[in-house]
Amino acid sequence: MKTRARACLFVTSLFVTACSQQDRVAVATPAVAPVADAFQREHAAWVRERAADLGKPDGWISLIGLHWIEPGTHSVGGGEENAIHLAIAPDRLGQVEQRADGLYFQPTEGVPITADGTPLHGELKLTPEGAGGGTKLEYDGGKGQITAIKRGQRLALRVRHADAPARLAFHGLDFFPADPDWRVQAHFVPHPAGRTLPIASVIGTVTDTPNPGYVTFEKKGREWRLEALGDPEKGLNLMFQDQTTGKLSYGVGRYLHTDPVAADGTVVVDFNRAYNPPCAYTDYATCPLPPPENRLAWQHGNGQRERLAVLAGEKKYALAKH
C-alpha cells in the first residue's frame, strides 16, 4: 500500500493518469484548494471593505455639490435665493468670502454648525483639504459636511450629506470574477530622481506629479508597461485604460494601488483590485486621469495597435447618472 501511494504521488506530479481518479484527488487537491479558497476570501473581503468605504455617511457617493468660489461675499444655504445653493441644507447656513489670503466662512446666527467638532459662533478661515487634513464644517447634526478644496489657484466648497440620493440608492459594486491569473508579478524600473509626469484632471487642470518609475509585466504573450506614481517604499499608484474602458469598465479608466516594491525590484500588480475613480459615482469629484502612456496598447510594425483587455477588477457603476 505504501509503494502504491508513493507511485501515485509521483505520477500525479507528472500529470500521468495511471492511478485512479480517487487516488489523484486524495494526493493533489489538498495542496491547491486552500490557496485558491484563501485568494477568493481575501478578494471578497477587500470588495466588501471598498463598498463599505464608499457607502459611509461621508463617502464619495454622499457628495451633493461642488461650488467654485469667486472673489467677494456669497450667501450659502438650501434656499433658492442663496448665491451658493446647497441641495440639502437649512435655508440660510451662512456666508463665504474669498479674500486675497483665503476662504472665510461666517455662520448664520442660531444655525448650529461645528468646525472640526467644535461649535462655530464666528468667522473662520477654512483650511483646504490636503495631506494635513482640512477644516470640516458640519451641520444637520453632523449629517451635512462642508470642506474647502484648492485646485490650481481656484477654491471651492465640497459638500456632502448622509441623505444624498446617490448614497441612499447605493447597493454595492460590480466586479469581474476574481481570477488569480490577473495577479501578476511585475518589475519596477526607476526613473532618474526628480522626474515628473503631467497628470490632467476631469476639470481641466494639469499637475506635474512625481513619477518615480514604471512597471513592466507579461500578459497574453507580450510585455506591457505602466508609468507609476507614488512612493515605491510605500506602494505605487497606477492609473490605466484598457480595451474594456468605456465598454465593460468606467470610461475614464481605473486606478490600482500596489504594496511596496521589494528590494529586488519586484512588485505584485493585482488587477483584481483595480477600482473606479470617485468621478465614476459623482459629478462633484475632480479625478486625475490616466496618462496617455498608460493606455495598455501595443504598437505593431504595421502601425496597428493592440490593446490589452483587463477582465479583472471593478466594472462600470450601474447607477451612474453622468
Side-chain angles (χ1 to χ4, degrees):
M1 183 63 182
K2 291 181 179 179
T3 300
R4 174 175 171 76
R6 285 196 297 271
C8 189
L9 178 59
F10 173 74
V11 296
T12 300
S13 67
L14 296 178
F15 301 99
V16 178
T17 58
C19 296
S20 70
Q21 181 70 21
Q22 183 177 0
D23 287 333
R24 289 204 312 277
V25 170
V27 173
T29 301
V32 177
V35 175
D37 288 347
F39 170 79
Q40 296 292 339
R41 286 196 303 270
E42 289 175 7
H43 179 73
W46 181 84
V47 170
R48 287 194 300 270
E49 182 179 348
R50 168 155 174 76
D53 187 63
L54 276 172
K56 293 188 302 185
D58 61 350
W60 283 110
I61 57 173
S62 71
L63 283 174
I64 59 171
L66 181 65
H67 306 276
W68 298 100
I69 309 300
E70 299 295 335
T73 302
H74 313 278
S75 58
V76 180
E80 295 286 349
E81 73 282 359
N82 290 284
I84 298 176
H85 175 237
L86 306 186
I88 308 175
D91 282 347
R92 187 65 181 269
L93 198 61
Q95 66 180 30
V96 64
E97 181 180 3
Q98 181 173 330
R99 302 175 189 165
D101 64 335
L103 205 57
Y104 290 78
F105 183 84
Q106 174 76 45
T108 296
E109 187 175 352
V111 177
I113 298 178
T114 63
D116 299 327
T118 301
L120 181 63
H121 299 295
E123 184 181 82
L124 177 70
K125 183 179 180 181
L126 304 180
T127 302
E129 293 180 11
T135 307
K136 183 187 297 183
L137 302 177
E138 292 185 322
Y139 64 94
D140 277 357
K143 296 172 74 174
Q145 182 186 114
I146 299 175
T147 56
I149 66 168
K150 186 174 184 179
R151 298 292 183 267
Q153 298 304 311
R154 302 175 69 195
L155 289 164
L157 294 182
R158 172 176 276 167
V159 188
R160 293 174 165 87
H161 202 284
D163 292 338
R167 179 173 181 265
L168 299 181
F170 180 63
H171 296 296
L173 302 171
D174 190 14
F175 277 72
F176 289 96
D179 183 351
D181 286 343
W182 280 106
R183 191 173 188 272
V184 301
Q185 187 83 353
H187 183 72
F188 175 71
V189 181
H191 285 313
R195 172 162 166 162
T196 61
L197 189 65
I199 299 295
S201 75
V202 295
I203 61 170
T205 59
V206 178
T207 304
D208 289 329
T209 307
N211 174 210
Y214 62 89
V215 297
T216 62
F217 62 94
E218 292 186 1
K219 199 69 180 171
K220 307 297 182 183
R222 299 194 183 282
E223 183 177 87
W224 307 87
R225 168 173 168 166
L226 288 172
E227 293 291 338
L229 309 176
D231 183 347
E233 295 184 359
K234 297 179 181 179
L236 302 173
N237 296 319
L238 306 174
M239 300 187 293
F240 69 93
Q241 294 180 344
D242 66 286
Q243 193 177 26
T244 73
T245 302
K247 302 169 186 174
L248 298 175
S249 62
Y250 180 50
V252 163
R254 290 181 284 175
Y255 296 174
L256 194 156
H257 184 73
T258 75
D259 287 335
V261 176
D264 62 358
T266 58
V267 60
V268 173
V269 177
D270 190 350
F271 285 101
N272 294 286
R273 297 193 178 186
Y275 61 93
N276 290 335
C279 51
Y281 315 101
T282 176
D283 288 329
Y284 308 122
T286 61
C287 305
L289 303 173
E293 294 87 345
N294 284 5
R295 289 174 181 165
L296 287 178
W298 178 275
Q299 185 78 43
H300 290 273
N302 59 8
Q304 292 184 336
R305 293 170 68 85
E306 174 187 341
R307 300 190 73 182
L308 179 65
V310 179
L311 301 174
E314 190 174 350
K315 295 183 178 181
K316 282 184 177 180
Y317 181 52
L319 295 181
K321 299 261 195 303
H322 57 287

